[in-house]
Amino acid sequence: MVDFGARPEQVWVTCCETLYPASTLDDTQLAELRAEFAGATRGLLTADGILPAAVRLDIARTRLAE
């Protein structure tokens, strides 16, 4: 697990602008998505204003058989 928990604005930047192709959205769509994100996550904030967020990474290593 990679912990991305932070203030909602930082989680937005990390997850929604860095990890996902938000550049495919126009300004109106991006503003609507950001507003939806803010509304949907408001109830998840901790007492100190942190939004818990994490990503599970599964890493596999393979080797070609000779």
Side-chain angles (χ1 to χ4, degrees), residues 5-57:
R7 300 247 176 244
E9 302 80 21
Q10 184 60 44
V11 174
W12 171 265
V13 170
T14 301
C15 295
C16 298
E17 292 182 0
T18 304
L19 300 176
Y20 299 103
S23 62
T24 62
L25 303 175
D26 64 33
D27 290 342
T28 301
Q29 292 169 321
L30 189 58
E32 290 173 358
L33 181 61
R34 190 168 191 156
E36 288 286 329
F37 173 82
T41 59
R42 190 170 293 120
L44 302 174
L45 299 178
T46 63
D48 57 352
I50 299 298
L51 177 60
V55 175
R56 178 182 169 161
L57 297 177

Side-chain angles (χ1 to χ4, degrees), residues 1-4 19 54-60:
M1 296 296 284
V2 178
D3 183 9
F4 288 115
L19 300 176
V55 175
R56 178 182 169 161
L57 297 177
D58 293 318
I59 300 172

